[in-house]
Amino acid sequence: MTTQQKITYLDNAATSFPKPEPVYQALDHFARTQLANPGRSSHRMAKEAERTIDNARAALNRFFHGEAPERWIFTLNCTDALNIAIKGTVSPGDHVITTDLEHNSISRPLRQLEKAGVISLTRVASDGGYIDPDDIRRALTPATKLVAMTHASNVLGTVQPIAAISAIVREAGALMLVDAAQSAGIVPIDLRTCPIDFLAFPGHKALYGPTGTGSLYVGSRTKPRVWREGGTGGDSKKEIQPEELPYALEGGTPNALGIAGLAAGIAWVAEQGEEANRRHEVALLQKVVDWVDGQGHSDGWKIAGRWDPATHVGALSLITPNLDEFHPQVLADILDTSFAIAVRPGLHCSPYIHRRLGTFPDGTLRLSPGPFNTAEEIDMFLDALAEVTAGVL
Ligand SMILES: Cc1ncc(COP(=O)(O)O)c(C=O)c1O
């Protein structure tokens, strides 16, 4: 297969593709006219690059209704943002609460801190892919410093009751870190009404920026420790990192090109409406759920987690009928090579939920449509699955 062949891309939960046209235009324009080092020099191009970054911060602040643009730190990805929040916040003796839905970008830093004896950790179990706010309430102790959890499961697509959980955490005096990797741009998040202290997300999924972009919102009740010292383009006389945000947490040349693309992605999402995009993706997934539920030819296939279109984003995991004949990895390879369909098999960097589902270590077959996928493409995916499994089921 050549790269020219059209791919039916159903892997938007990993990173979105294609990007909206204005994103490509913004990348091209910025790369050709403004790709200087923002804030580092006094010439016009550097100032324009800096203005692009400032505008992107302001756009994020408007989009999520944050307290101030400088509270949005640009990061390399969501993992970067989560690590800054977690490692910059916890101290020896702290208790942290997390869940079994988490991606390794939360699970691994927390497990590492637990193994090193720095923190104690409670991992709350989900039911059908959902966390019960009362389970978080019960896990809180006077030593709980941080609750770190995902807004939407990247394996199941289930959206967590984050407003209710954040209110419980705030009342208890702990800090709330939300991993919005699968929700930012697809489920509205309003920081005025949802008491989130840290909001971490990638720019490259449902905000449609390029890879290499992400952000961390640092709320006013938090002050994460500086994690990387370096140039900020500002006051170079200072011997140590400036204390003010965003510079305290942003040493080094930023991914200005990526941020220019991200800004165009945010503008595109704001125009479409998050709910419109979510509904489109969920309607596509409903076809798959109907196929699994209804038809004789799909006997043996199962949907992982509870399907509720009202509390779902555009990711769905299929449990394959029988691992010997239909291993998720083998199926994904066949879909790719014989049908040019891109999906993601395996554990999706989230081993704990697969243990809970009983799908560890082989995992599931995840499909995650985006705003540009069509019902015909989902039909092609289902026809391909039927063809691959024909005669064996
Ligand atoms: C729920 C969740 N959290 C975190 C991440 C990590 O994002 P990134 O690859 O941008 O670091 C992902 C990526 O798939 C994710 O799905």
Side-chain angles (χ1 to χ4, degrees):
M1 191 180 74
T2 70
T3 49
Q4 301 302 313
Q5 186 176 344
K6 183 174 173 339
I7 288 188
T8 299
Y9 186 84
L10 297 172
D11 196 19
N12 286 268
T15 197
S16 53
F17 180 85
K19 309 296 179 187
E21 199 47 39
V23 173
Y24 294 118
Q25 287 164 3
L27 289 169
D28 187 69
H29 175 74
F30 189 88
R32 290 177 194 280
T33 63
Q34 295 180 331
L35 199 45
N37 203 325
R40 301 316 200 256
S41 311
S42 57
H43 55 77
R44 245 174 309 164
M45 254 177 90
K47 283 184 180 152
E48 276 173 25
E50 191 169 15
R51 199 168 315 119
T52 299
I53 292 188
D54 289 345
N55 289 343
R57 262 190 242 284
L60 280 175
N61 198 53
R62 275 195 305 278
F63 190 79
F64 294 108
H65 306 286
E67 278 183 43
E70 60 269 21
R71 297 203 158 275
W72 299 88
I73 309 304
F74 285 115
T75 62
L76 189 59
N77 46 42
C78 190
T79 302
D80 211 16
L82 291 164
N83 273 264
I84 296 169
I86 292 170
K87 294 174 184 165
T89 299
V90 300
S91 302
D94 285 341
H95 173 240
V96 178
I97 298 172
T98 190
T99 83
D100 66 2
L101 295 172
E102 304 314 315
H103 188 274
N104 274 335
S105 51
I106 281 188
S107 305
R108 282 183 173 164
L110 288 178
R111 178 73 185 117
Q112 186 61 40
L113 287 161
E114 184 189 33
K115 276 181 78 169
V118 178
I119 61 165
S120 58
L121 187 62
T122 301
R123 184 170 289 109
V124 170
S126 55
D127 179 16
Y130 293 92
I131 296 293
D132 181 342
D134 281 334
D135 287 341
I136 299 286
R137 191 196 301 280
R138 279 188 282 273
L140 284 158
T141 76
T144 307
K145 175 72 153 287
L146 183 70
V147 175
M149 64 175 286
T150 192
H151 190 184
S153 161
N154 63 314
V155 176
L156 309 172
T158 48
V159 178
Q160 307 308 312
I162 219 70
I165 294 174
S166 300
I168 291 168
V169 173
R170 177 66 57 94
E171 199 188 316
L175 296 173
M176 181 75 187
L177 163 60
V178 173
D179 171 358
Q182 297 296 336
S183 62
I186 206 88
V187 181
I189 300 171
D190 187 337
L191 292 169
R192 292 171 302 188
T193 53
C194 195
I196 293 170
D197 296 295
F198 290 115
L199 185 70
F201 54 89
H204 61 91
K205 298 192 200 251
L207 290 171
Y208 304 103
T211 46
T213 56
S215 183
L216 175 69
Y217 176 73
V218 179
S220 54
R221 294 165 77 239
T222 69
K223 196 165 191 292
R225 288 180 287 274
V226 167
W227 67 292
R228 182 179 67 187
E229 281 100 352
T232 54
D235 186 357
S236 297
K237 293 192 299 296
K238 263 212 171 97
E239 288 184 0
I240 57 171
Q241 198 71 6
E243 292 220 338
E244 323 77 74
L245 294 172
Y247 308 110
L249 300 172
E250 272 189 1
T253 301
N255 177 6
L257 176 60
I259 293 168
L262 172 59
I266 296 166
W268 184 83
V269 174
E271 206 180 295
Q272 304 293 308
E274 293 138 294
E275 182 60 8
N277 284 348
R278 191 189 73 80
R279 277 178 190 276
H280 172 75
E281 292 169 19
V282 166
L284 296 179
L285 291 179
Q286 182 70 56
K287 285 175 77 69
V288 180
V289 174
D290 291 346
W291 181 83
V292 167
D293 279 354
Q295 337 266 312
H297 62 71
S298 58
D299 281 355
W301 291 88
K302 287 198 197 91
I303 301 292
R306 199 158 58 238
W307 171 250
D308 170 12
T311 55
H312 221 275
V313 292
L316 190 75
S317 262
L318 290 173
I319 301 178
T320 52
N322 134 14
L323 280 175
D324 291 338
E325 277 151 324
F326 305 116
H327 192 280
Q329 182 66 58
V330 174
L331 280 173
D333 289 346
I334 296 172
L335 288 171
D336 180 30
T337 52
S338 302
F339 297 90
I341 294 173
V343 292
R344 179 161 175 198
L347 298 176
H348 316 99
C349 302
S350 302
Y352 295 93
I353 187 59
H354 281 283
R355 284 187 189 277
R356 177 139 182 90
L357 292 167
T359 49
F360 186 92
D362 302 285
T364 52
L365 191 69
R366 182 185 75 182
L367 74 156
S368 51
F372 305 111
N373 287 118
T374 62
E376 290 69 39
E377 286 177 308
I378 299 298
D379 287 340
M380 275 172 53
F381 166 77
L382 293 174
D383 288 348
L385 271 195
E387 197 176 318
V388 172
T389 55
V392 188
L393 285 175

